[in-house]
Amino acid sequence: MPIKVQNNLPAKKIMERENIFMMDETRAVSQDIRPLYIAVLNLMPLKEDTEVQLLRSLSNTPLQIEITFLTTASYIGTNTKASHLNEFYQTYDDVKHRKFDGLIITGAPVEQMEYEEVQYWEELKQIMEWSNTNVTSTLHICWGAQAGLYYHYGIQKYLLPKKIFGIYEHHVHHRKVPLLRGFDDVFYAPHSRYTGVNHEQIVACDDLTVLADSDEVGEFLLVSKDGKRIFVLGHLEYDRLTLDLEYKRDIAKNLPIELPVNYYPDDDASKRPLLRWRGASNAMYSNWVNYYVYQNTPYDWS
């Protein structure tokens, strides 16, 4: 898929090395075509890594997509250079007058805090409320999914006895739902989180359908009846080595961390991890872009 980004975005060079077609601004303006406008609210500390992961995940449809990266104005992290944020990111105030075909809200390393304690919670609430009228479909990831479930439906999260960390098996339900087209009955997905969501409250919510879950780690993929809100309680966008880097980072800092489950061959952290979720990731992101964004968005929002 031709993804339109700024010419000098560092992630563009990485995608091109992987033979993923990235369209720069110069070429895009020469095509008489209406692209899909997708905003990414990137709440992760290592924003450039997340940019690469999400651009790769969105690269498997023939549609032209124009990406707008968003960051919070009420909190500026220190893990990404200010120059990168200033050049490639906008804030809610910059785009609140616009309509977007899709919005992605990423995870964030704040899940052990109460939502109201998060510095940018009020701003995030404003963005999620704005998405009800200005976005065709919003994809919420990990903590972003927990925050969305809490804001839109009042579904609570709770602290787990220990961190869910590794690659887990999931089972598909309601496979006629378009988001699941191309999925196998069983698929694998990465998790890295300290909290879960209230199962009873999800079951009691008439607007939500659980499309996939795990016997070990609970609900994974949920969708609202109108398809405007999708919640992914894991990280299908992760690279092969994302959990490896997280594990070895915590080991180097002498932080308590267990070996990621079902990740390293023979549970040997010196061996190259197995990549077992890329097919499910490609299917989910392609289905979201096609059936929930492209098929439902108006050609002219006005």
Side-chain angles (χ1 to χ4, degrees), residues 8-22:
N8 53 341
L9 180 73
K12 180 174 180 286
K13 295 181 179 179
I14 297 174
M15 295 294 96
E16 289 172 340
R17 286 201 298 268
E18 297 182 14
N19 203 31
I20 292 173
F21 180 27
M22 302 292 291

Side-chain angles (χ1 to χ4, degrees), residues 99-110:
K99 305 286 188 179
F100 285 90
D101 305 308
L103 169 66
I104 297 174
I105 300 176
T106 74
V110 295

Side-chain angles (χ1 to χ4, degrees), residues 52-96:
V52 171
Q53 292 167 6
L54 289 175
L55 289 175
R56 183 186 292 116
S57 298
L58 292 168
S59 67
N60 286 286
T61 84
L63 304 169
Q64 185 185 130
I65 294 179
E66 181 173 322
I67 301 293
T68 299
F69 287 109
L70 303 178
T71 188
T72 53
S74 50
Y75 173 78
I76 305 297
T78 59
N79 293 282
T80 301
K81 292 179 180 179
S83 59
H84 186 84
L85 295 176
N86 292 335
E87 185 168 4
F88 301 113
Y89 279 75
Q90 300 182 55
T91 66
Y92 168 68
D93 282 339
D94 296 322
V95 302
K96 62 184 179 183

Side-chain angles (χ1 to χ4, degrees), residues 44 53 107-108 111 140-146 149 158 160 162-171 183 187-197 202 210-222 231-247 249-250 257-264 274-277 280 284:
M44 294 293 280
Q53 292 167 6
E111 59 178 313
H140 309 70
I141 301 173
C142 201
W143 182 82
Q146 294 182 346
L149 289 169
Y158 61 91
L160 295 163
K162 68 175 184 178
K163 183 179 183 178
I164 292 174
F165 187 49
I167 312 301
Y168 295 88
E169 183 180 271
H170 300 78
H171 301 273
F183 272 74
F187 67 95
Y188 293 90
H191 288 260
S192 178
R193 53 186 170 90
Y194 293 91
T195 53
V197 288
I202 289 175
V210 178
L211 300 182
D213 58 15
S214 165
D215 294 337
E216 298 173 277
V217 298
E219 288 88 359
F220 176 75
L221 186 59
L222 302 91
F231 306 92
V232 186
L233 292 160
H235 287 284
L236 279 174
E237 81 283 1
Y238 269 5
D239 293 334
R240 179 194 300 270
L241 297 178
T242 305
L243 295 184
D244 176 70
L245 294 172
E246 182 177 343
Y247 174 69
R249 176 202 65 197
D250 287 358
I257 185 75
E258 294 186 6
L259 201 72
V261 175
N262 299 322
Y263 185 54
Y264 297 112
L274 296 175
L275 180 59
R276 296 192 286 179
W277 58 93
M284 189 199 74

Side-chain angles (χ1 to χ4, degrees), residues 5-10 12-13 23-27 88:
V5 295
Q6 288 176 251
N7 295 355
N8 53 341
L9 180 73
K12 180 174 180 286
K13 295 181 179 179
M23 178 175 290
D24 61 28
E25 297 162 299
T26 304
R27 180 166 182 178
F88 301 113

